[in-house]
Amino acid sequence: MEDINVCNQQKQPNILLITTDQHRLSGIGCYGNTPCQTPWIDSLAERGVRFETAYTTCPVCTPARASIMTGLYPHAHGMSANIGEFGCLVHECVDRPALLSRRLKTAGYRLGYNGKYHLSSHKKILFGLPNKPYEPADIGFDDVGAGTNDLYAKDPGFLNYLADNKIEIKKITEPHRTLPLPQNCTRIENSEEATCSHYLTEHCLKILDSYKNLDQPFFLWHSFDGPHYPYTVPESFYNMYKDVPIPQWKNFNWDGADQNFPYQMALHPFYKSYTWEDWSETIRHYYAYCTLIDRQIGRILAFLEQNNLAENTVVIFTADHGESLGDHGGMKNKGWHHFESTHRIPLILTIPPPYQPQGYIPGSVKNDWASILDIFPTICSLAGAPYRNEDLHGMSLLSLFEKKEIKWRDKIFVEFNGVRNIGANMLTFRHKNIKYGWNAGSRYELYDLEKDPEETINLADDPGYAKILHDMQVMLHDFLIEMKYPGENQFRHTRLDKAE
């Protein structure tokens, strides 16, 4: 195994990984062209490096989170859909030396986990058979906070917190609508203290407080459960957007929504009835939720500063995947399409001066294609934890700051195997400005993102793109062989054999 440590100091940094759930780029101010206010996340970008084009491995929670823990694509780590659902091959993140947590343990780190987990079924009986659930404590985490049972607002710990603090949730009656808003939106009279985001952050701060006088470095993964729907936000946060015009997605009035593709599963059942104002009101709640989470991130960053931890703590911010939120004619949630809104993710790497590698420029933006896969080797590189490049699908982001020539990825690959017990097999493959989408059992898709950044024109049947289409299929096939993708032969039979 390689022992990689590219930091300027021998002392290992603390590492704080902050993840959000279903966070599209328009929900983050520093990614531009949005009314959404996230000053604390923006401050991380101002002091760190922001990756403009970072991608998930799968636009679904469990597979993407397992890619952080393993550094592997879902087809390799086996958690290929959400736990407990059709399409998922492995329903527990089983303890093993190759996990990120165990790598860091080997390097001498104290490990903490707080918030949404979604890497365990939490069940001793699964599909009628005995099952051993693997909770964070079972894979090396020393300190486990709140929310890891994945019950969110129904978490007994959260309900007890409300009761102990005599907080009664007071929902605001919404005006009557013929149709409810496209996503579940709720405003409450209470302050942020009544939200699950605040509750989770309280426990994050408790763990950090216990780390103030540690004689070893720490790694803490703090995982918010939002801005995944339902969008339950205090009135004060909603009022920040109440009268703010929401720019219409350029692909909202897309005339391709009625075509027979898998994305029919992503369209809201009443997409033809909803107007942009209906979606705008939903987006206001979503942005309010993003700002609420940003406020909690601010509390965490302030704690680091006030307790002299900031100068020794690397902060990494990212999300598991994005959110459709009405784009492409009225799609919701995630999955069932190849579009950027769910596949691209935020990724910010903020390294304090003592640990900055040469070439690291605070406030800069990297346009190299990054992946959620890169978080594993990046953290290991920062920590001096052992790993072998050939065992992972990701690459350390720190190598992008070095002056020497490196072979960085020129292709992006995203897989989707279904969600909510509906199976699928969809592969997204991007090379330069061309994106190819393979849909098992359906027609394929081809988009030129340079000419069509909104992905509204499927060029798969365009004679002018016939060679490009074939070249993309050949490149994808070669990539599937390299990645040992289990469905490689079926792709070859259904696409390349026919073409040739």
Side-chain angles (χ1 to χ4, degrees):
M1 292 184 181
E2 292 180 16
D3 190 359
I4 300 175
N5 190 343
V6 299
C7 301
N8 293 334
Q9 301 263 333
Q10 289 299 313
K11 182 181 177 182
Q12 296 161 298
N14 304 317
I15 302 171
L16 172 62
L17 173 62
I18 300 175
T19 56
T20 52
D21 187 4
Q22 208 150 308
H23 205 158
R24 61 180 284 141
L25 297 186
S26 71
I28 301 172
C30 61
Y31 276 87
N33 194 30
T34 178
C36 190
Q37 301 176 41
T38 53
W40 287 101
I41 297 174
D42 298 351
S43 75
L44 287 173
E46 290 166 4
R47 294 182 286 112
V49 174
R50 179 172 67 83
F51 292 85
E52 178 67 24
T53 46
Y55 286 81
T56 186
T57 53
C58 177
V60 180
C61 303
T62 293
R65 292 163 185 271
S67 288
I68 294 177
M69 192 64 81
T70 64
L72 301 173
Y73 283 109
H75 72 264
H77 61 58
M79 304 184 86
S80 45
N82 277 341
I83 285 173
E85 295 185 358
F86 296 150
C88 187
L89 299 174
V90 177
H91 298 273
E92 301 290 339
C93 186
V94 177
D95 190 27
R96 51 199 185 274
L99 293 180
L100 175 61
S101 53
R102 291 303 182 184
R103 296 290 191 209
L104 293 173
K105 202 77 170 172
T106 300
Y109 273 72
R110 177 92 182 180
L111 306 184
Y113 196 99
N114 186 63
K116 178 173 179 173
Y117 188 51
H118 219 168
L119 293 177
S120 173
S121 69
H122 312 296
K123 297 177 180 178
K124 293 184 178 180
I125 300 293
L126 191 63
F127 303 117
L129 299 171
N131 178 64
K132 173 177 170 47
Y134 282 83
E135 305 294 347
D138 298 316
I139 61 171
F141 286 94
D142 305 289
D143 308 290
V144 180
T148 59
N149 55 15
D150 300 321
L151 295 175
Y152 319 123
K154 296 180 181 179
D155 180 354
F158 176 55
L159 297 177
N160 289 337
Y161 157 81
L162 294 177
D164 291 344
N165 289 278
K166 297 180 172 54
I167 298 174
E168 180 184 354
I169 302 295
K170 298 179 180 179
K171 296 182 179 180
I172 295 173
T173 302
E174 299 287 347
H176 174 73
R177 297 175 179 275
T178 304
L179 283 174
L181 290 175
Q183 297 278 44
N184 189 343
C185 300
T186 303
R187 290 177 292 137
I188 58 176
E189 294 180 11
N190 311 75
S191 65
E192 65 187 81
E193 285 77 11
T195 66
C196 195
S197 300
H198 186 276
Y199 163 73
L200 292 178
T201 303
E202 285 287 290
H203 283 269
C204 176
L205 297 178
K206 288 179 181 178
I207 295 175
L208 285 173
D209 190 63
S210 71
Y211 288 169
K212 286 190 302 186
N213 299 311
L214 273 183
D215 57 2
Q216 66 184 119
F218 69 77
F219 168 73
L220 174 58
W221 184 343
H222 175 65
S223 175
F224 287 102
D225 64 334
H228 192 295
Y229 66 87
Y231 311 143
T232 300
V233 295
E235 176 83 344
S236 58
F237 284 86
Y238 169 81
N239 285 341
M240 297 173 66
Y241 301 97
K242 180 179 179 180
D243 299 316
V244 174
I246 304 297
Q248 182 171 302
W249 309 140
K250 293 180 180 178
N251 54 29
F252 179 69
N253 292 318
W254 183 43
D255 59 7
D258 289 328
Q259 297 182 50
N260 186 24
F261 282 93
Y263 52 64
Q264 289 295 318
M265 292 293 297
L267 285 166
H268 195 287
F270 303 116
Y271 73 96
K272 291 185 178 180
S273 299
Y274 283 124
T275 65
W276 177 246
E277 183 49 41
D278 294 322
W279 280 105
S280 293
E281 187 62 8
T282 302
I283 293 168
R284 290 185 183 99
H285 285 78
Y286 181 81
Y287 286 169
Y289 199 174
C290 294
T291 301
L292 169 67
I293 289 172
D294 182 78
R295 182 76 60 83
Q296 309 316 306
I297 292 174
R299 295 173 62 208
I300 297 170
L301 298 181
F303 184 94
L304 295 179
E305 289 286 351
Q306 293 161 6
N307 291 277
N308 300 316
L309 291 171
E311 61 188 21
N312 296 314
T313 303
V314 173
V315 181
I316 302 172
F317 171 78
T318 192
D320 51 4
H321 54 80
E323 156 71 63
S324 298
L325 208 61
D327 68 13
H328 283 88
M331 295 187 184
K332 63 182 180 67
N333 209 352
K334 72 263 184 167
W336 304 106
H337 61 72
H338 302 280
F339 302 135
E340 299 279 275
S341 56
T342 59
H343 286 32
R344 279 178 63 189
I345 56 173
L347 179 57
I348 300 170
L349 175 61
T350 304
I351 305 176
Y355 306 96
Q356 292 174 2
Q358 291 184 350
Y360 178 93
I361 303 174
S364 62
V365 177
K366 285 284 187 183
N367 290 302
D368 307 85
W369 286 354
S371 169
I372 203 169
L373 292 165
D374 303 332
I375 292 173
F376 182 119
T378 300
I379 289 175
C380 286
S381 294
L382 286 161
Y387 73 95
R388 296 194 308 170
N389 290 321
E390 56 266 36
D391 292 338
L392 303 177
H393 292 146
M395 298 179 282
S396 172
L397 296 169
L398 301 187
S399 60
L400 290 172
F401 305 120
E402 300 173 1
K403 293 183 178 179
K404 64 181 182 181
E405 290 288 327
I406 61 168
K407 185 179 180 182
W408 194 253
R409 70 170 58 86
D410 61 356
K411 305 174 185 69
I412 286 293
F413 177 69
V414 179
E415 44 187 290
F416 174 72
N417 298 291
V419 69
R420 290 194 167 185
N421 290 311
I422 303 296
N425 188 213
M426 299 172 64
L427 306 179
T428 305
F429 189 67
R430 182 177 176 183
H431 177 62
K432 297 182 178 178
N433 61 303
I434 300 296
K435 178 186 285 187
Y436 172 72
W438 181 56
N439 306 311
S442 183
R443 296 171 58 210
Y444 38 81
E445 300 171 55
L446 190 74
Y447 301 97
D448 186 333
L449 271 66
E450 183 176 11
K451 297 179 180 178
D452 176 30
E454 303 303 324
E455 302 172 284
T456 60
I457 304 172
N458 183 3
L459 300 165
D461 296 324
D462 188 328
Y465 280 79
K467 184 179 185 309
I468 292 175
L469 172 64
H470 180 72
D471 290 347
M472 290 293 289
Q473 291 172 328
V474 170
M475 274 192 287
L476 174 55
H477 181 243
D478 291 343
F479 184 86
L480 296 179
I481 293 175
E482 180 185 356
M483 292 295 110
K484 298 181 173 60
Y485 185 78
E488 166 271 319
N489 60 332
Q490 291 302 311
F491 175 80
R492 184 182 72 248
H493 291 329
T494 60
R495 288 296 176 257
L496 286 183
D497 289 351
K498 287 183 178 180
E500 296 173 351

